[in-house]
C-alpha cells in the first residue's frame, strides 16, 4: 500500500501546471523541457526555475544535477498528492466520520463501487 503524503501547502496555478507536466512525464525533466510542455510556453526560464525551487522547498519536487543542468521529478505521484490532500481535509474537518459519511453520500454509483472495492481490500489486509 502506498504511503500517504502529507500536504502542508496547496499549489498555486503555475505550480499546479508545472506539477501536471512532471506528473505526466515518463522521466525527470529540465526546466526548458517543462516550459515547452506548459500551456504558456512564453514563460521565462528564471520564472520556472523559481517555481521549481519553491516546489522543492515544499517537498513536491526533487532536483538532481545532470551535468551542468538540473533535472526535476515529482517526489510523489499525483495519486499520492491527492490522497494527502484528502487526508488533510479529513484531519482538519473537526469530525472526520461526518465528513466521510457526507462525502460517501455525494459520490456517483461508479465512484461508490471503487470506494467499496478499495475498502474491501483494506479490510482483508487489516482485520
Amino acid at each position: 500500500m502506498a504511503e500517504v503524503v502529507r500536504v502542508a501547502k496547496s499549489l498555486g496555478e503555475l505550480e499546479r501546471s508545472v506539477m501536471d507536466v512532471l506528473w505526466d512525464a515518463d522521466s525527470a525533466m529540465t526546466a526548458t523541457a517543462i516550459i515547452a510542455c506548459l500551456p504558456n510556453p512564453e514563460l521565462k526560464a528564471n520564472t520556472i526555475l523559481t517555481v521549481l525551487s519553491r516546489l522543492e522547498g515544499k517537498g513536491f519536487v526533487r532536483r538532481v544535477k545532470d551535468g551542468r543542468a538540473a533535472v526535476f521529478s515529482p517526489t510523489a505521484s499525483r495519486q499520492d498528492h491527492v490522497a494527502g490532500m484528502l487526508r488533510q481535509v479529513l484531519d482538519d474537518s473537526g469530525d472526520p466520520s461526518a465528513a466521510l459519511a457526507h462525502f460517501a453520500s455525494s459520490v456517483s454509483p461508479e465512484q461508490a463501487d471503487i470506494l467499496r472495492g478499495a475498502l474491501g481490500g483494506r479490510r482483508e489486509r487489516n482485520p
Side-chain angles (χ1 to χ4, degrees):
M1 183 185 226
E3 178 181 327
V4 175
V5 175
R6 289 297 208 179
V7 179
K9 299 182 180 185
S10 61
L11 297 172
E13 186 177 337
L14 185 52
E15 289 174 329
R16 179 60 189 230
S17 293
V18 169
M19 287 307 302
D20 283 339
V21 168
L22 290 171
W23 281 323
D24 291 340
D26 293 331
S27 60
M29 300 177 74
T30 63
T32 303
I34 293 168
I35 291 168
C37 296
L38 289 171
N40 180 4
E42 295 84 37
L43 290 166
K44 302 283 186 206
N46 284 344
T47 301
I48 297 306
L49 287 169
T50 299
V51 169
L52 288 163
S53 179
R54 287 183 183 153
L55 288 168
E56 184 179 23
K58 291 180 179 182
F60 287 96
V61 169
R62 178 181 306 108
R63 175 192 316 243
V64 176
K65 286 297 246 177
D66 184 20
R68 289 184 48 196
V71 293
F72 301 87
S73 59
T75 57
S77 70
R78 184 187 326 253
Q79 293 79 7
D80 287 337
H81 171 68
V82 171
M85 288 179 15
L86 292 172
R87 180 78 248 158
Q88 183 174 352
V89 167
L90 286 174
D91 290 348
D92 293 346
S93 73
D95 188 352
S97 296
L100 276 172
H102 185 73
F103 174 75
S105 69
S106 71
V107 300
S108 70
E110 295 80 15
Q111 292 167 331
D113 288 342
I114 293 167
L115 280 171
R116 272 191 287 282
L119 291 172
R122 180 183 173 121
R123 286 187 188 123
E124 291 171 12
R125 287 191 300 270
N126 297 321

